[in-house]
Amino acid sequence: MSGLIALLDDVVALTRIAAASVDDVAGMAAKAGTKAAGVVIDDAAVTPKYVTGLDPKRELPIIWKIARASFFNKLLILLPVAMVLQAFAPIVLIFLLMLGGLYLCFEGAEKVWHVLAPHKDNHVNKEEVKDPAHLEETRVRGAIKTDFILSAEIMTITLNEITSNFPDASIWLQGMALAVVAVLVTVVVYGAVALIVKADDTGLWMAANGRTGLTRSLGTGLVKAMPYFLILLSFVGTLAMLWVGGSILVNELHYLGVDWPYAPIKAAAAGFTGFVAWAITAGLDGIFGLIIGLALIPMVTKILKPLFGGKKAAAH
């Protein structure tokens, strides 16, 4: 009996430890996940284009294919690689983080540049859906590649936030928190994408089959509102990318001993507190990210794309 009681005490103690660990993981995941918001929003804004022009019945299966690959990439490839680098070569993560910051700044600045200097895309309108299966396969491959890049950035940003805010946490807790963020982000992104791509179909159905005038009006309003919603989502995603990308570069340069533009930005927000201080810092980080991104555009389009893309990229 005494042995059984001792065993129960041990079980209770282990349960308490496990519960505390779950709380720690949840807290770490919640705090770390917020910094990846910019990439998450952009991921949700980018993905719907991959089902445009395809059979509506194939939209959800396509999204599931991309989501399944995203789970695999995050949990079975990126998470182990990130934890190994964190344990044995943390300096590499800093440069990977900065490389991801440059990527975000470039992507955000390129969207701004396309608005300021619009140009026709000669490839999009020429795509002919002669073989829907082949087109779907091509779209899915493209989406998975894009998701892999964004997922790598999400995982790197998240791990950096976890290690910065919880330096004393064990590598197992850090890994569990990173896994929680990976799962939640993927569920949120592709759940949102599924709702977005089916919203217009839902609106059309409500407009045609609604039993009341209110229902039909709501359906019509939903169909009309979706293009504006997607524009707003893209706009917010662009701002978030510039903010996150600029913030990464500013903070990592400071970590490496370069105090500009970290010091001027902190000085500008020094006299304020709360949301105002955050808004000033985020705004200046975003401006810095935009400047860096605009500077990268000619380098990427004139040098890197032709260099790595061959004749086709050069012609484009």
Side-chain angles (χ1 to χ4, degrees):
M1 181 61 70
S2 61
L4 179 59
I5 293 174
L7 177 61
L8 291 175
D9 285 341
D10 291 341
V11 170
V12 171
L14 289 173
T15 302
R16 288 175 179 171
I17 294 172
S21 298
V22 170
D23 289 341
D24 291 341
V25 169
M28 293 163 65
K31 188 169 183 63
T34 56
K35 195 59 179 290
V39 195
V40 172
I41 294 171
D42 185 66
D43 203 355
V46 167
T47 306
K49 74 176 184 180
Y50 290 102
V51 297
T52 302
L54 297 177
D55 185 350
K57 294 180 180 179
R58 295 298 304 159
E59 289 175 344
L60 293 182
I62 290 171
I63 292 169
W64 169 239
K65 285 183 181 180
I66 303 169
R68 187 172 56 197
S70 185
F71 278 117
F72 179 87
N73 290 337
K74 288 186 180 76
L75 297 176
L76 298 182
I77 297 178
L78 294 171
L79 190 150
V81 170
M83 298 312 299
V84 168
L85 290 176
Q86 175 62 27
F88 299 104
I91 190 66
V92 175
L93 283 176
I94 294 175
F95 291 102
L96 288 177
L97 194 62
M98 294 183 70
L99 184 63
L102 291 173
Y103 168 79
L104 291 175
C105 291
F106 168 75
E107 285 289 308
E110 191 177 39
K111 292 180 181 180
V112 173
W113 180 250
H114 283 174
V115 173
L116 298 176
H119 61 278
K120 294 182 178 179
D121 191 334
N122 295 324
H123 299 281
V124 175
N125 294 329
K126 290 182 178 180
E127 187 178 43
E128 296 181 2
V129 189
K130 294 181 178 179
D131 185 353
H134 177 70
L135 177 59
E136 177 179 323
E137 183 181 352
T138 303
R139 291 275 187 91
V140 169
R141 283 201 305 266
I144 291 173
K145 289 179 182 178
T146 301
D147 177 87
F148 186 86
I149 295 172
L150 295 174
S151 294
E153 187 60 15
I154 289 170
M155 299 292 278
T156 308
I157 292 172
T158 303
L159 182 58
N160 181 68
E161 287 297 299
I162 290 173
T163 54
S164 298
N165 290 284
F166 305 93
D168 298 328
S170 70
I171 191 170
W172 299 108
L173 283 180
Q174 292 177 354
M176 289 170 64
L178 188 58
V180 169
V181 173
V183 171
L184 290 179
V185 163
T186 306
V187 170
V188 168
V189 167
Y190 289 100
V193 169
L195 291 175
I196 290 170
V197 300
K198 300 307 292 184
D200 53 351
D201 293 337
T202 302
L204 287 173
W205 186 90
M206 291 171 62
N209 301 287
R211 294 185 179 182
T212 66
L214 178 60
T215 304
R216 292 190 292 272
S217 298
L218 287 174
T220 302
L222 183 60
V223 173
K224 292 181 178 179
M226 281 310 298
Y228 299 102
F229 173 76
L230 291 175
I231 292 172
L232 177 62
L233 184 64
S234 180
F235 174 74
V236 173
T238 300
L239 292 182
M241 289 175 73
L242 292 172
W243 160 54
V244 174
S247 176
I248 289 171
L249 296 178
V250 169
N251 286 283
E252 297 309 315
L253 285 172
H254 173 68
Y255 179 83
L256 294 174
V258 180
D259 284 334
W260 193 94
Y262 179 88
I265 290 175
K266 289 300 180 183
F272 303 91
T273 58
F275 175 79
V276 176
W278 174 86
I280 293 173
T281 302
L284 293 175
D285 285 343
I287 291 172
F288 178 71
L290 177 61
I291 293 171
I292 295 297
L294 291 174
L296 286 172
I297 289 176
M299 181 186 301
V300 172
T301 56
K302 302 298 183 182
I303 299 176
L304 295 181
K305 280 187 177 180
L307 183 63
F308 293 101
K311 295 181 180 180
K312 182 177 179 180
H316 174 67

